[in-house]
Amino acid sequence: MFLKPFTYPLPETRFLHAGRSVYKLKIRYGNFLSSDDIDNNESTAKELEEAIRVIIGNLDNLHPFATERLTIFPYLSKWERVSKLRFKHGDTFLAPYPHVCTMYVELNSFQQSIFVGKFVRLRLKKY
């Protein structure tokens, strides 16, 4: 799955097509100070893509999980007015998944302490 770049730390909503289904995915970010919090954005994008695969593959049994840098809290909520929506890919009609998948993403506590420490050191050097 190749996705457009993520907008962290800004929230975003995406529609994903997998198989014959369309999923509405909301991504919310927690303890990110800025987009500079993550040194390697390409690695983070891969971690987010993998997290999305895990969530879509386990919709019946969602639990919080962690990647190398991130902690993901997935949950579902009812997708209002989903019955009024129609999706089509080529000549094939797609079925919308009846729930919105929300990912709440935070830096792992170890990563957070590294970046907060870096931020404090940088700030102290300026004075």
Side-chain angles (χ1 to χ4, degrees):
M1 168 181 356
F2 178 74
L3 300 175
K4 293 179 184 177
F6 294 94
T7 62
Y8 44 83
L10 302 174
E12 59 185 302
T13 300
R14 295 185 178 205
F15 293 91
L16 301 171
H17 165 227
R20 298 187 126 199
S21 299
V22 174
Y23 301 91
K24 183 176 181 179
L25 178 72
K26 290 184 177 184
I27 305 173
R28 303 294 180 255
Y29 300 96
N31 58 4
F32 286 69
L33 297 173
S34 70
S35 60
D36 297 332
D37 274 356
I38 307 270
D39 289 333
N40 189 342
N41 289 335
E42 186 175 324
S43 293
T44 304
K46 288 180 182 178
E47 285 185 47
L48 286 170
E49 285 185 29
E50 187 62 31
I52 291 168
R53 282 188 192 95
V54 168
I55 291 169
I56 290 175
N58 294 294
L59 289 169
D60 294 333
N61 191 19
L62 292 178
H63 298 288
F65 60 95
T67 66
E68 183 179 335
R69 294 180 186 92
L70 307 171
T71 302
I72 313 291
F73 300 91
Y75 58 94
L76 299 175
S77 58
K78 186 176 179 185
W79 187 354
E80 300 294 329
R81 301 181 191 211
V82 69
S83 62
K84 298 181 186 209
L85 299 175
R86 300 287 179 259
F87 295 95
K88 191 174 180 181
H89 181 72
D91 293 335
T92 306
F93 285 97
L94 305 173
Y97 184 71
H99 295 91
V100 177
C101 305
T102 301
M103 299 175 43
Y104 184 74
V105 180
E106 289 188 348
L107 286 173
N108 285 343
S109 24
F110 177 72
Q111 286 296 125
Q112 182 182 6
S113 63
I114 289 173
F115 290 116
V116 169
K118 185 189 296 183
F119 177 73
V120 169
R121 273 181 273 149
L122 289 174
R123 196 165 178 201
L124 290 174
K125 287 181 182 180
K126 289 182 180 181
Y127 295 107

